[in-house]
Each structure stands twice: as structure tokens, then as C-alpha cells.
Amino acid sequence: MPELTATSWLLLAVAALLVGFAKTAIGGVAAISVALFAIVLPAKESTGALLPLLLVGDLVAVRTYRAHAHWPTLLRLMPAVVVGVVAGYLFVDRVDDVVMRRTIGGVLLALVAVHLAQRWRARSRARADAARATGRLRAGGYGVLAGFTTMVANAGGSVTSLYLLAARLGVLGFLGTTAWFFLVVNAFKLPFSLALGLVGTSSLAMDAVLVPAVLVGAGLGRVVIRRIDQSRFEGAVLAVTVLSGLNLLR
């Protein structure tokens, strides 16, 4: 297990709790977890250390929303995601830790922009645009980008959410499709992370300590999601994500 200070353990515990919360409540919170892991650990190592915790959260989310996935939408997206994951694997294999850290920061900032565009689309409610967004060509673009960002920075949630919102799924359909999507994609990423040496006995020992925080976060998300002012909460998440991303770009 890596030797970490008490402050570092606290930051990782908060990040793990937010992983669980993101899986059952507001997915954008996961961007903070990515940033916290990249601040505490070397950038490359942080992506591998976070992945098993994401898989734990995915299992909880699938257990909660497993019956509500829209499989045609999911299957339309997956082939391009595979291409994106492979491209991300080749990128991670060729860059050093500084480039990786700055890439994670850049991805987080880009995903804030994507999220803002997503909110604008939701308000515009243009049916013709939504129909085009779920076509094969558009699905390919979203899929490649989602696969690349999730492999490089465990940060494909905003891209995927944009695509699924355009597909006009209901709330449960959105949650169920997202849950299954990330369980499949994160499981697919695992062999690539192992091949890159990003997941090992040391990181798994650390993850074992942090798993309870993921479960607490998931339970908290199920309780809180119906009671919070989501617009204010999302604003705070975006602000923290921007600051975290800028810190990683240094």
C-alpha cells in the first residue's frame, strides 16, 4: 500500500465517497474524484487506482437501476467507444506523467464546457437536433470521445450524458442505461489498465480501504437526490471542477 499522509487519505476518502454518490445521484460529481486522485497520486497511477472503485460504484448502480436500460441506444454507442478506449490506451502508453496530468486537467475543463452545452440543449429541446444526435454518425463521434476520455481520465460521463439526453430517455431510462454503459466500459478498460501497469497490488490494497466510502456515498446519493437543489449543487460541482482542472494544468 502506498505511504500517504493523513491529509492525502482524507482527500482519497472524499473522492471515493463522491464516486458512490455520482453513481446513484449526480454523475458530474465524479469529475471531482478524478481531480482529487490526480492531485494525491501521480497522474497515470491515479487513473488505475480509481478504476476499481468506479467498478464498485457501477455494480451498485446496476443493482439499483438494472431493469431500466435502453439497450438499442446503448448498443448503438458501444462500437465507437471501443475505438476510443483503444486510442486512449495508445495515448497513455506514450506520454509521461506531466503530459498525463495536464491532459486530465484539460479533459476536466472541456467536460465542463460540454456540460454547459448539455444544459443549453436541454433548455432548447430541439426535436430535430435530438433525432440527428442519436444517428449513427453522431453516435460514432460521441462514442469515440467518450471512450477516449474515460480511458485517459476516467471522465467520460459528461460526453455520455450529452448523448443520452439527446436520445430523450426518461429519468429511469437514463439512469439504467448509464449504469450498464459504465459497468461494461469500465470492465472493458480493466485489461488495458493492467497492461499499462496502472492497476497493481499496491493500488488494489488502497482501494480495499476506500470501498466502504464508495458504498456510503452510493447510499447517501439515493437518499439525498430527491431533496437537494440540483441547479445550485451542479453550479458548485462545476466551479470545483474548473479549479481542479486549472490546478492540474500547472
Side-chain angles (χ1 to χ4, degrees):
M1 188 179 298
E3 295 184 6
L4 300 172
T5 65
T7 300
S8 295
W9 275 111
L10 177 61
L11 291 175
L12 292 178
V14 170
L17 186 144
L18 292 177
V19 166
F21 187 87
K23 294 299 181 179
T24 57
I26 301 174
V29 175
I32 300 176
S33 300
V34 172
L36 289 175
F37 263 71
I39 289 170
V40 173
L41 303 172
K44 281 192 176 184
E45 181 182 330
S46 72
T47 62
L50 185 57
L51 181 56
L53 297 179
L54 292 172
L55 281 165
V56 172
D58 292 330
L59 290 170
V60 174
V62 165
R63 181 180 178 183
T64 304
Y65 304 118
R66 61 186 178 277
H68 302 287
H70 189 261
W71 287 99
T73 298
L74 188 62
L75 294 174
R76 189 182 301 121
L77 198 59
M78 290 306 299
V81 172
V82 171
V83 175
V85 168
V86 173
Y89 164 77
L90 295 174
F91 175 81
V92 174
D93 189 41
R94 285 163 172 75
V95 301
D96 61 19
D97 198 70
V98 173
V99 173
M100 186 71 175
R101 173 171 52 79
R102 291 175 177 172
T103 299
I104 293 173
V107 166
L108 292 177
L109 294 177
L111 291 180
V112 169
V114 169
H115 181 81
L116 294 175
Q118 170 182 311
R119 292 176 65 178
W120 177 83
R121 278 175 90 79
R123 282 196 289 266
S124 68
R125 297 188 180 280
R127 294 180 180 273
D129 287 346
R132 288 195 295 270
T134 55
R136 289 184 179 180
L137 182 60
R138 193 67 65 92
Y142 277 111
V144 170
L145 185 58
F148 182 82
T149 54
T150 194
M151 184 66 218
V152 171
N154 290 314
S158 293
V159 179
T160 308
S161 294
L162 182 59
Y163 176 79
L164 294 180
L165 284 175
R168 301 294 183 186
L169 301 177
V171 174
L172 289 178
F174 179 90
L175 292 171
T177 305
T178 301
W180 277 108
F181 175 83
F182 281 108
L183 177 61
V184 172
V185 171
N186 285 331
F188 177 71
K189 284 162 46 183
L190 186 57
F192 292 96
S193 294
L194 288 169
L196 290 167
L198 302 180
V199 178
T201 55
S202 177
S203 64
L204 288 174
M206 181 183 69
D207 288 335
V209 175
L210 296 172
V211 163
V214 176
L215 300 179
V216 170
L220 185 64
R222 287 196 295 265
V223 172
V224 170
I225 188 59
R226 298 179 182 179
R227 302 179 183 180
I228 61 176
D229 184 332
Q230 185 164 337
S231 62
R232 291 183 180 179
F233 189 79
E234 285 185 1
V237 168
L238 291 176
V240 173
T241 302
V242 168
L243 292 175
S244 300
L246 291 173
N247 180 61
L248 291 170
L249 288 175
R250 69 188 189 281

